[in-house]
Amino acid sequence: MLRDNRFQRFEVIPLTGALGADVRGVELADNADDEVFKELRRVLDHYHVIAIRGQKLTPQTFHEVARRFGAFSGNPVHQPMEGLEDVVTFMREPEDTGMVAGENWHMDLAWMEKPPGITMLYGHVIPPVGGDTCFASLEHAYHALSPGMKTLLESLTGIHCGKGVFGINAATMRLGLRTDNAKAIEELETEHPVICAHPATGKRYVFVSSVLQRFKGLTEAETKPIVDYILGLATRPERTCRVRWEEGTLTMWANPFVLHTAINDYSGYRRVTYRTTVKGHVPMAAPAESNDAKAVRAA
Ligand code: SIN
């Protein structure tokens, strides 16, 4: 098994050749020092998804650990846990049917002006089989585009909409929804550049998600085939990883750089997770580059 020796404070074991790593040998609830959190942030900047194994968190300590990564982003959609404004419980009972929370490829809250920078999900009760989460790399999707497509996308602005978000979530059993701002969110349209650069690494990625409704100046019908094409590229197996949960796994993902989907394959079993989101940045347009540079990067 490959260990990434650039990180010395704990073990970092890549999950696939594209993205994601298991992290072992660190206990976060134990008031870990600031350097541990800085190193985890660097691992996340590099791998975009990390599954930190062997944690023992309560909702309260989960909240405290999350706060060490920055301020919370706020979650205007889901009803929080009582007493912990920024923590949501995702619960599925053995007899539940229909969709699971987070089913189908998406990015969390992509229609916010500052989409969450990190989503954190803690596995409290995990089924003996199934219930994995899959992730797809928007950085690798960028590199899979032709120079011509990159140039076209550099010139475009995506309009991301909150429309339908409450309906999708309402289709999931046991997920309490907020009502205070629902109408405004349903009408929200937020503009983001399509080709963006990571604020820490400068690496390019394509900022698309399932709520990108149209490109500015284009119709929805003109936009959809392009977005579907990019989503198809991103979610090809070689650009994905899959986290197999264990009780006590804390999975964190760099939300704007990946798409993720929950897998609905654990009917008859219970699954309980705690979830929160840490504040991110306004997505930053990548500086334009020549076609030659684009071709070299793709090689
Ligand atoms: C989510 O989409 O945030 C939830 C993913 C999961 O429960 O596996």
Side-chain angles (χ1 to χ4, degrees), residues 2 9-10 21 41 43 54 56 68 99 117 134 151 161 175 184 198 211 230 263-264 266 286:
L2 182 70
R9 287 181 169 267
F10 33 73
R41 175 63 94 148
V43 181
K56 291 185 196 74
R68 304 280 301 268
M99 287 180 74
C134 288
T151 304
C161 300
L175 202 51
H198 189 294
V211 299
I230 298 167
I263 311 289
N264 186 352
Y266 56 97

Side-chain angles (χ1 to χ4, degrees), residues 65-81:
V65 165
R67 189 65 188 81
R68 304 280 301 268
F69 289 95
F72 294 106
S73 68
N75 176 347
V77 177
H78 302 118
Q79 201 61 255
M81 191 181 268

Side-chain angles (χ1 to χ4, degrees), residues 90 101-103 106 108 119 121 131-133 245 253 260-263 271 273 275:
F90 282 179
E103 188 172 327
H106 65 286
D108 292 327
T119 300
L121 194 66
D132 299 352
T133 310
W245 289 87
W253 57 95
H260 62 281
T261 181
I263 311 289
R271 186 179 190 265
T273 57
R275 181 176 176 282

Side-chain angles (χ1 to χ4, degrees), residues 10-57:
F10 33 73
E11 269 189 287
V12 175
I13 300 150
L15 285 175
T16 67
L19 81 167
D22 267 350
V23 171
R24 296 181 187 274
V26 64
E27 180 120 26
L28 296 179
D30 200 15
N31 207 15
D33 67 49
D34 288 346
E35 285 311 310
V36 166
F37 285 91
K38 282 189 195 153
E39 181 107 319
L40 283 172
R41 175 63 94 148
R42 283 193 287 273
V43 181
L44 191 62
D45 283 345
H46 187 79
Y47 284 99
H48 292 172
V49 179
I50 56 178
I52 310 169
R53 305 294 185 174
Q55 304 304 297
K56 291 185 196 74
L57 301 180

Side-chain angles (χ1 to χ4, degrees), residues 8-286:
Q8 288 295 327
R9 287 181 169 267
F10 33 73
E11 269 189 287
V12 175
I13 300 150
L15 285 175
T16 67
L19 81 167
D22 267 350
V23 171
R24 296 181 187 274
V26 64
E27 180 120 26
L28 296 179
D30 200 15
N31 207 15
D33 67 49
D34 288 346
E35 285 311 310
V36 166
F37 285 91
K38 282 189 195 153
E39 181 107 319
L40 283 172
R41 175 63 94 148
R42 283 193 287 273
V43 181
L44 191 62
D45 283 345
H46 187 79
Y47 284 99
H48 292 172
V49 179
I50 56 178
I52 310 169
R53 305 294 185 174
Q55 304 304 297
K56 291 185 196 74
L57 301 180
T58 61
Q60 182 62 45
T61 55
F62 172 68
H63 184 270
E64 285 160 18
V65 165
R67 189 65 188 81
R68 304 280 301 268
F69 289 95
F72 294 106
S73 68
N75 176 347
V77 177
H78 302 118
Q79 201 61 255
M81 191 181 268
E82 209 178 319
L84 286 175
E85 174 62 20
D86 293 287
V87 179
V88 175
T89 309
F90 282 179
M91 189 178 298
R92 176 92 168 171
E93 295 294 352
E95 64 277 16
D96 289 355
T97 54
M99 287 180 74
V100 299
E103 188 172 327
N104 294 325
W105 290 104
H106 65 286
M107 183 188 292
D108 292 327
L109 307 172
W111 38 264
M112 283 173 79
E113 193 202 342
K114 289 184 189 170
I118 305 175
T119 300
M120 300 177 65
L121 194 66
Y122 177 71
H124 177 53
V125 179
I126 295 300
V129 64
D132 299 352
T133 310
C134 288
F135 297 88
S137 169
L138 293 173
E139 189 190 311
H140 284 274
Y142 172 80
H143 291 296
L145 297 168
S146 65
M149 183 58 114
K150 287 174 182 165
T151 304
L152 170 69
L153 294 174
E154 270 168 9
S155 70
L156 294 174
T157 298
I159 299 179
H160 301 251
C161 300
K163 195 171 167 193
V165 66
F166 286 88
I168 290 171
N169 280 279
T172 303
M173 292 169 91
R174 298 179 203 277
L175 202 51
L177 299 185
R178 300 182 89 121
T179 47
D180 37 350
N181 235 345
K183 189 169 179 314
I185 289 165
E186 287 281 341
E187 286 167 7
L188 196 68
E189 295 199 338
T190 307
E191 295 185 9
H192 292 307
V194 180
I195 302 298
C196 296
H198 189 294
T201 64
K203 288 188 175 166
R204 287 161 184 263
Y205 64 101
V206 53
F207 191 101
V208 294
S209 79
S210 50
V211 299
L212 198 170
Q213 199 170 55
R214 63 186 189 283
F215 295 120
K216 202 170 172 179
L218 272 65
T219 64
E220 286 182 33
E222 288 164 337
T223 302
K224 193 172 181 313
I226 302 177
V227 171
D228 286 350
Y229 173 72
I230 298 167
L231 296 182
L233 274 185
T235 56
R236 280 186 57 90
E238 67 272 24
R239 299 188 186 101
T240 67
C241 73
R242 182 167 181 138
V243 169
R244 303 205 70 180
W245 289 87
E246 293 160 11
E247 276 173 16
T249 295
L250 171 63
T251 299
M252 302 175 53
W253 57 95
N255 177 55
F257 312 108
V258 298
L259 301 171
H260 62 281
T261 181
I263 311 289
N264 186 352
D265 65 347
Y266 56 97
S267 167
Y269 295 115
R270 188 163 197 246
R271 186 179 190 265
V272 182
T273 57
Y274 310 141
R275 181 176 176 282
T276 194
T277 45
V278 172
K279 200 169 179 171
H281 299 86
V282 174
M284 186 175 90

